[in-house]
Amino acid sequence: MSVFTQIDFDDHEQVVFARDARAGLKAIIAVHNTARGPAMGGIRMYPYASEDDAIRDALRLSRGMTYKNALAELPIGGGKSVIIGDPHHDKTEALLLAMGEAIERLGGRYIGAEDSGTSVPDVKVMAQRTQHLSGIHEKSTTDGSTRSGDPSPATAYGCFVGLKEAVRHRLGSTELRGLRVAIQGTGSVGLRLGRYLKDAGAQLWVTDVFPANLDRAVTELGATAVAPEAIFDLDVDVFAPCALGAILNDDTIPRLKAAVVAGAANNQLAEARHGEALRARGILYAPDYAINAGGIIDVCYERIGFDATAVKAHVERIAATLATIFERAASEGVSTAVIADRLAEERFKR
């Protein structure tokens, strides 16, 4: 299948296919847009069923990073890379080093970071072959301690800030005590979001396909566990998707009882029209790439000069961005997803 005829091809500037047979590397690096600066986005590793599936994922995710980075007003463009393989069985040091070499060959047009299927230690191995990586250095925090380059804490904090703004706009309250929240996915981001909500006094329901993640969330958060498919049917105020994409679709949207959808998962809408489907039901949707931008803000600052106070302030601007989206969507009578796209395009197409 030609890249140019792919439904997800969107005038991408560059799509690179990287192969190292000896190391077992098969990867795709997609640079979507560099109008605001070098393309930045995570390095995903996944056992795709076909190469076409991997191409589609790279194209879609890289385009999403352009919109996310522009909406967050960062001096970077959008890109993404995918490694075809099972991260639990196929990942080796040789493969990671080969991926670093593939990124180096782009000469800085693409800057990678950890993503689904890769970790900070993995990216540090890649860094032996390229300098064009981020999210790998220890960072200071506002309380004076240090943490790893893992951007998930910033992602979770940004989601919490954004969720509060969505609740204020839709439910007219700044108080989260007693708020009923269903969290789908309790990995590193979902669990941290749950901690913020627990500390604020919210009631939590959680689900995860990995039993260990679910057990930890129940223990640490005092949350109620539910089966994965049951999470859509709960009588809650907020549904927080923090796992897979495409989970807002023709089947799940009619089942939602929540007034707000605000979570960290990427590509939550199965199709663009599902943003309007949510609006038609009176459900306020916090566009995923607006609310989950904390992680990319964190890794971007690592490249341009990290300052914990500045990063925290920038992440907190997610609330103002969402407020603008919500207000424009209401005044123009369109979905928040449409407004988020328009606002991002204003920032990278000007």
Side-chain angles (χ1 to χ4, degrees), residues 203-206 217-225:
Q203 297 177 263
L204 303 176
W205 286 260
V206 294
V218 169
T219 300
E220 290 192 17
L221 306 177
T224 301

Side-chain angles (χ1 to χ4, degrees), residues 127-350:
Q128 297 177 41
R129 295 290 188 267
T130 181
Q131 61 181 324
H132 305 302
L133 297 166
S134 194
I136 57 176
H137 299 297
E138 288 194 349
K139 302 178 176 75
S140 60
T141 66
T142 53
D143 65 9
S145 62
T146 59
R147 65 172 176 82
S148 75
D150 179 9
S152 58
T155 304
Y157 181 60
C159 283
F160 177 65
V161 167
L163 185 151
K164 287 195 296 182
E165 178 58 33
V167 168
R168 185 194 69 80
H169 187 90
R170 178 65 177 82
L171 301 178
S173 174
T174 58
E175 174 59 58
L176 300 187
R177 185 163 300 280
L179 189 78
R180 299 166 299 167
V181 183
I183 302 176
Q184 181 192 41
T186 54
S188 58
V189 174
L191 183 66
R192 285 184 171 95
L193 175 61
R195 289 172 183 155
Y196 283 118
L197 291 166
K198 176 190 177 185
D199 291 345
Q203 297 177 263
L204 303 176
W205 286 260
V206 294
T207 195
D208 198 291
V209 295
F210 298 104
N213 287 354
L214 188 60
D215 292 344
R216 184 178 180 186
V218 169
T219 300
E220 290 192 17
L221 306 177
T224 301
V226 300
E229 189 60 24
I231 198 74
F232 302 103
D233 304 301
L234 298 178
D235 185 12
V236 294
D237 303 302
V238 178
F239 173 56
C242 296
L244 299 176
I247 47 80
L248 298 172
N249 52 50
D250 291 337
D251 173 60
T252 60
I253 290 174
R255 295 161 57 188
L256 293 176
K257 299 179 178 64
V260 171
V261 172
N266 287 310
N267 303 313
Q268 294 172 24
L269 302 179
E271 299 178 36
R273 63 184 176 85
H274 290 121
E276 176 57 30
L278 289 166
R279 188 183 80 89
R281 292 207 56 220
I283 299 172
L284 181 65
Y285 168 58
D288 47 38
Y289 68 82
I291 194 172
N292 70 12
I296 194 64
I297 292 170
D298 185 271
V299 297
C300 179
Y301 269 82
E302 184 176 311
R303 297 286 297 187
I304 63 177
F306 192 86
D307 177 84
T309 301
V311 171
K312 185 172 185 287
H314 200 137
V315 171
E316 289 174 347
R317 282 160 49 187
I318 289 174
T321 298
L322 285 172
T324 298
I325 292 170
F326 297 155
E327 290 160 8
R328 280 183 54 171
S331 65
E332 297 180 30
V334 297
S335 75
T336 55
V338 167
I339 295 300
D341 284 355
R342 288 179 185 172
L343 187 56
E345 288 165 2
E346 290 168 8
R347 295 176 179 178
F348 76 82
K349 290 186 176 180
R350 60 190 173 194

